[in-house]
């Protein structure tokens, strides 16, 4: 090998070096020099690699192999695309021949002729579309660019798969000028027309023409059946109130009114008598009570009722409070709702529960002032009591109608279900638990005589939606807006992994029975009070009471509810994530 050759191949190690060398010497590339250069390369490749050159040679041979592979792929791609194009051309010819035959058969029929022309046009469109898709594909393959090739392959795959499923022509039928004429047939005969051949078939067109009664048949199917709704609940028929909520004119059901709209209370005559109920053993409550009684009497000229305990406290402060009224006998409490226009509670949620429990029937509107630790049902702040009471007495006020549950204990010895002890009205919940027993409770539960489940665990809570933020929440029940009418069915520590809480509709009666095979009795308690023993065979019946508890809202029931879960429970409180950090906005 000459030194000049060695110099020129030194850096690249292939024939280009010698070609450029001969270019320099002769001024043109002649075949002899190419021959020489190729020979030189061959010699070079056959030689044992010279130290420092072997890496270049390996690289070079790899590059050659890649180029050869790319060329082969392009050729294969082109061939396959050509084959596909030929196949489409063949199909087109086939359909064209069939079309000509059909045209002869149905000659004279204008409609079909028109459709036939349309068909030819759409078939040609198909073929053109295919070519439009294939040409860029061929081009992409030729160029051999990886990205474009992938796009082309995807487009081909899409086209072929839709062709296989027969969807191409269904779509085309929908989009064509003759859409309205063919739409119905397309739906009815897609099996024979579109799915099978991928192109609309003439059988369908003939069927359409011959089916002269199809419109009449269709009209028959389209006609709506009329119906009537009636309400049935525990043997009761028809309920005027429900008719007001839902209307059903001519087979169409519409909700005329929501059952749980925000309710507004407007006084038609001025309130005259107020009952103040207070949490016992609280100095702050006692002081506030004193101020409030004086203000209501002296400024608002109202009659004020308090509990006997509170009257004693007031008189101990000053004999001037002798105008304050109370009752001597507990039996008088049952008539209170007829004397009292408004109830004011000073305390926490427990005081609201206490107030509600005093009314075994209708309950006057309650204005709850917050003097407890949490206050889910006490939206009014004591420091602004004069302003609050002023606006309440003036009205109108937003109120939340809090549903109560009517609970009756039916003893096993009772002759029928109506022979019950005095019923309980609960604003929060009735709890059936194992009491001091160390055994699992075993409670059979029915909803309107349908078996619900058997509770084996610590017990069961039947809660109102107002009580959903109390014990039921602690037992894993959901929080529910108090205006939603429903009964929450929440197990307490169930010994089963799948016992999720339920919410039942307002109109059902839930029956909880202690079965005879139970290892221990159960205990029922009502808003956390009045525990009753349930022996084997005893049952507790629970349904929605007809007397809700109207509580005044600070703003409205939704605002007050959300505020109470934010302030009382710090519901979903989390530090806000800072804006600086990884983001997706740049995508
Ligand atoms: N594990 C528990 O969470 C648990 C256990 C027993 C009783 N309780 C609840 O206590 C109620 C009795 O209240 P109490 O004041 O007479 O007893 P209490 O003095 O023991 O107070 C119980 C707590 O429950 C709160 N509470 C009451 N009603 C609520 C409601 N509707 N929403 C949110 N929180 C409420 C009260 O503010 C109070 O902080 C029961 O009806 C029951 O719901 C809860
Ligand atoms: N007028 C009343 N007479 C007898 N007991 C009452 C009366 N008012 C409230 N209670 C009882 O006192 C207890 C505590 O009342 P309440 O829940 O209102 O105050 P709290 O415990 O300070 O408030 P919070 O529950 O928000 O912490 C409750 O069990 C309730 O039943």
């Amino acid at each position: 090998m000459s030194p000049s050759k060695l110099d020129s191949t030194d850096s690249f190690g292939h024939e280009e070096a010698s070609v450029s060398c001969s270019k320099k010497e002769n001024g043109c590339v002649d075949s002899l020099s190419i021959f020489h250069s190729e020979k030189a390369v061959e010699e070079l490749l056959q030689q044992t690699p010279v130290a420092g050159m072997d890496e270049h040679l390996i690289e070079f041979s790899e590059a050659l192999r890649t180029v050869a592979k790319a060329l082969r792929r392009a050729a294969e791609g082109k061939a396959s695309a050509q084959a596909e194009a030929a196949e489409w051309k063949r199909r087109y010819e086939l359909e064209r021949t069939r079309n000509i035959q059909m045209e002869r058969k149905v000659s004279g029929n204008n409609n079909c002729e028109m459709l036939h022309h349309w068909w030819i046009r759409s078939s040609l469109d198909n073929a053109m579309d295919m070519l439009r898709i294939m040409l860029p594909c061929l081009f992409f393959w030729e160029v051999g660019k990886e990205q474009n090739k992938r796009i082309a392959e995807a487009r081909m795959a899409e086209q072929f798969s839709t062709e296989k499923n027969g969807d191409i022509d269904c779509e085309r039928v929908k989009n064509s000028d003759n859409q309205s004429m063919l739409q119905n047939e397309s739906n009815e005969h897609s099996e024979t027309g579109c799915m099978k051949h991928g192109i609309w078939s003439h059988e369908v067109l003939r069927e359409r023409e011959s089916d002269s009664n199809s419109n009449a048949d269709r009209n028959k199917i389209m006609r709506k059946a009329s119906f009537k709704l009636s309400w049935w609940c525990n043997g009761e028929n028809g309920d005027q109130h429900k008719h007001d909520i839902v209307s059903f004119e001519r087979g169409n059901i519409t909700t005329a009114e929501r059952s749980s709209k925000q309710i507004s209370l407007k006084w038609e005559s001025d309130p005259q008598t107020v009952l103040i109920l207070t949490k016992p053993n609280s100095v702050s409550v006692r002081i506030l009570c004193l101020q409030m009684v004086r203000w209501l009497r002296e400024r608002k000229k109202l009659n004020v009722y308090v509990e006997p305990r509170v009257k004693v406290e007031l008189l101990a402060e000053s004999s001037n409070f002798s105008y304050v009224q109370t009752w001597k006998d507990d039996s008088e409490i049952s008539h209170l709702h007829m004397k009292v226009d408004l109830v004011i509670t000073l305390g926490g949620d427990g005081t609201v529960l206490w107030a509600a429990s005093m009314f075994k029937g209708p309950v006057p509107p309650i204005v709850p002032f917050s003097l407890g630790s949490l206050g889910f049902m006490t939206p009014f702040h004591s420091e602004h009591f004069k302003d609050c009471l002023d606006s309440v007495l003036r009205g109108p006020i937003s109120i939340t109608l809090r549903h109560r549950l009517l609970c009756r204990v039916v003893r096993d010895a009772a002759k029928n279900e109506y022979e019950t002890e005095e019923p309980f009205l609960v604003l929060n919940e009735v709890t059936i638990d194992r009491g001091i027993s160390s055994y699992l409770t075993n409670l059979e539960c029915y909803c309107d005589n349908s078996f619900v489940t058997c509770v084996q665990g610590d017990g069961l809570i039947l809660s109102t939606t107002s009580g959903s933020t109390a014990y039921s929440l602690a037992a894993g029940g959901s929080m529910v807006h108090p205006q939603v009418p429903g009964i929450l069915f929440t197990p307490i520590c169930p010994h089963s992994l799948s016992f999720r809480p339920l919410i039942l509709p307002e109109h059902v009666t839930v029956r909880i029975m202690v079965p005879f095979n139970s290892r221990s009795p159960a205990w029922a308690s009502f808003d956390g009070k009045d525990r009753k023993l349930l022996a084997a065979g005893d049952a507790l019946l629970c349904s929605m009471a007809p007397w809700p508890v109207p509580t005044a809202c600070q703003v409205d029931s939704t605002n007050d509810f959300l505020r109470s879960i934010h302030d009382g429970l710090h519901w979903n409180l989390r530090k806000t994530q800072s804006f600086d950090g990884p983001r997706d906005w740049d995508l």
Side-chain angles (χ1 to χ4, degrees):
M1 197 173 285
S2 71
S4 71
K5 258 187 192 172
L6 262 181
D7 282 346
S8 58
T9 54
D10 210 10
S11 57
F12 303 101
H14 49 64
E15 75 251 52
E16 270 173 27
S18 50
V19 169
S20 63
C21 213
S22 32
K23 257 187 195 170
K24 255 189 237 166
E25 283 162 13
N26 307 330
C28 66
V29 184
D30 60 21
S31 58
L32 192 68
S33 65
I34 289 171
F35 172 77
H36 279 309
S37 65
E38 280 180 358
K39 215 178 154 193
V41 168
E42 242 166 51
E43 278 171 12
L44 202 80
L45 286 171
Q46 278 161 15
Q47 275 175 21
T48 320
V50 183
M53 284 174 68
D54 49 351
E55 270 176 31
H56 294 301
L57 283 172
I58 290 164
E59 238 176 67
F60 175 59
S61 61
E62 279 300 320
L64 279 179
R65 245 175 250 129
T66 310
V67 170
K69 226 187 267 176
L71 284 171
R72 199 168 51 242
R73 242 187 267 148
E76 279 168 10
K78 191 176 173 183
S80 99
Q82 277 170 341
E84 286 299 335
E87 171 61 14
W88 274 95
K89 197 180 165 206
R90 190 187 65 76
R91 285 185 193 191
Y92 165 65
E93 293 295 343
L94 198 73
E95 287 295 330
R96 192 165 165 265
T97 320
R98 283 180 59 199
N99 188 50
I100 290 164
Q101 284 167 3
M102 293 305 299
E103 191 190 14
R104 280 188 199 130
K105 273 189 204 168
V106 295
S107 64
N109 186 318
N110 287 340
N111 255 354
C112 281
E113 215 169 292
M114 194 177 81
L115 288 166
H116 165 67
H117 287 311
W118 164 82
W119 178 85
I120 293 177
R121 215 172 58 224
S122 72
S123 301
L124 278 169
D125 283 350
N126 283 342
M128 287 307 291
D129 277 2
M130 282 308 296
L131 284 173
R132 251 178 246 129
I133 288 165
M134 282 172 182
L135 281 172
C137 295
L138 285 173
F139 169 74
F140 290 138
W141 265 317
E142 293 277 350
V143 172
K145 282 183 184 169
E146 201 55 39
Q147 194 186 358
N148 288 341
K149 194 180 131 198
R150 253 185 267 124
I151 295 166
E153 281 171 350
R155 287 181 70 179
M156 289 294 284
E158 196 184 314
Q159 189 71 16
F160 294 152
S161 74
T162 48
E163 186 267 334
K164 257 189 204 164
N165 296 330
D167 287 341
I168 294 176
D169 295 286
C170 289
E171 277 308 310
R172 213 172 298 289
V173 167
K174 280 179 194 160
N175 296 334
S176 75
D177 295 337
N178 301 303
Q179 177 181 354
S180 57
M181 199 188 296
L182 294 164
Q183 194 83 50
N184 290 334
E185 287 83 348
S186 151
N187 296 335
E188 285 168 28
H189 302 285
S190 58
E191 281 286 316
T192 55
C194 294
M195 305 304 277
K196 228 172 170 177
H197 307 296
I199 292 172
W200 191 258
S201 81
H202 293 272
E203 288 82 4
V204 176
L205 303 181
R206 275 211 310 280
E207 268 180 41
R208 185 186 180 278
E209 286 147 22
S210 64
D211 192 7
S212 56
N213 295 325
S214 62
N215 271 347
D217 289 348
R218 220 168 284 142
N219 286 344
K220 225 184 231 174
I221 295 163
M222 294 286 282
R223 201 183 301 141
K224 279 187 76 171
S226 62
F227 59 81
K228 187 173 178 285
L229 297 180
S230 60
W231 275 262
W232 180 89
C233 185
N234 291 336
E236 288 167 32
N237 255 321
D239 181 335
Q240 190 53 47
H241 174 63
K242 297 277 167 48
H243 283 264
D244 293 340
I245 295 166
V246 180
S247 77
F248 44 95
E249 289 296 313
R250 295 168 193 217
N252 295 320
I253 302 175
T254 46
T255 316
E257 252 179 66
R258 303 275 163 225
S259 59
S260 299
K261 270 189 193 170
Q262 178 57 57
I263 299 159
S264 175
L265 183 150
K266 194 176 173 199
W267 301 107
E268 290 187 335
S269 58
D270 289 339
Q272 292 181 356
T273 307
V274 175
L275 167 66
I276 301 177
L277 296 171
T278 60
K279 171 172 80 171
N281 300 325
S282 164
V283 177
S284 57
V285 167
R286 197 184 303 170
I287 294 168
L288 180 69
C289 178
L290 209 132
Q291 294 170 348
M292 198 178 274
V293 168
R294 201 175 280 149
W295 184 79
L296 286 170
R297 179 68 190 180
E298 292 170 7
R299 292 292 172 89
K300 298 289 163 186
K301 313 286 180 230
L302 293 175
N303 303 317
V304 180
Y305 268 86
V306 293
E307 291 171 272
R309 165 185 55 86
V310 180
K311 173 133 192 204
V312 173
E313 286 170 6
L314 289 172
L315 286 175
E317 290 291 330
S318 163
S319 55
N320 287 344
F321 286 111
S322 54
Y323 56 82
V324 174
Q325 300 179 56
T326 189
W327 52 91
K328 287 195 183 83
D329 191 343
D330 277 359
S331 63
E332 289 178 50
I333 296 173
S334 58
H335 304 296
L336 265 182
H337 72 276
M338 291 188 278
K339 299 178 186 167
V340 168
D341 297 314
L342 202 68
V343 179
I344 296 170
T345 63
L346 308 180
D349 296 317
T351 310
V352 178
L353 296 177
W354 179 267
S357 72
M358 285 179 66
F359 297 90
K360 310 288 181 205
V363 188
I366 297 179
V367 185
F369 281 91
S370 170
L371 283 113
S373 60
L374 291 179
F376 285 81
M377 296 187 282
T378 58
F380 294 98
H381 299 292
S382 56
E383 52 274 29
H384 311 297
F385 83 86
K386 289 174 190 168
D387 293 339
C388 292
L389 288 177
D390 245 343
S391 76
V392 167
L393 292 168
R394 220 176 25 245
I397 48 168
S398 292
I399 55 165
T400 302
L401 275 191
R402 297 181 182 274
H403 302 276
R404 287 196 288 181
L405 295 176
L406 182 70
C407 309
R408 290 173 290 155
V409 175
V410 183
R411 299 292 173 196
D412 179 46
K415 289 183 199 80
N416 58 54
E417 268 186 9
Y418 302 102
E419 191 184 311
T420 63
E421 297 171 9
E422 202 195 337
F424 290 91
L425 284 159
V426 292
L427 177 53
N428 267 356
E429 77 285 291
V430 54
T431 306
I432 306 106
D433 60 37
R434 62 190 171 89
I436 54 163
S437 168
S438 51
Y439 297 113
L440 286 177
T441 52
N442 187 0
L443 304 169
E444 272 176 21
C445 309
Y446 299 85
C447 178
D448 279 346
N449 299 323
S450 300
F451 176 70
V452 180
T453 192
C454 200
V455 177
Q456 294 180 95
D458 277 2
L460 176 73
I461 300 166
L462 297 174
S463 169
T464 63
T465 45
S466 289
S468 70
T469 44
Y471 198 1
S472 170
L473 172 77
S478 187
M479 293 192 288
V480 189
H481 190 296
Q483 294 262 138
V484 177
I487 302 174
L488 282 78
F489 184 95
T490 313
I492 309 169
C493 298
H495 198 230
S496 137
L497 292 176
S498 54
F499 198 162
R500 295 294 182 97
L502 288 179
I503 302 178
L504 299 167
E506 53 164 336
H507 59 80
V508 299
T509 298
V510 182
R511 168 197 284 266
I512 312 297
M513 268 197 68
V514 180
F516 287 100
N517 62 356
S518 180
R519 291 192 181 185
S520 63
W523 291 84
S525 59
F526 307 89
D527 282 343
K529 300 217 168 5
D530 299 311
R531 287 178 80 77
K532 288 264 174 190
L533 183 92
L534 297 178
D538 290 352
L540 180 98
L541 299 186
C542 187
S543 58
M544 200 70 92
W547 308 288
V549 178
T551 58
C553 301
Q554 167 82 304
V555 182
D556 57 52
S557 54
T558 302
N559 186 291
D560 286 12
F561 169 67
L562 294 174
R563 190 202 49 80
S564 74
I565 61 170
H566 287 142
D567 294 356
L569 294 172
H570 305 295
W571 180 63
N572 193 28
L573 195 69
R574 185 199 185 276
K575 264 190 138 185
T576 308
Q577 200 176 34
S578 66
F579 186 66
D580 58 342
R583 275 172 290 170
D584 268 349
W585 292 110
D586 306 332
L587 282 182

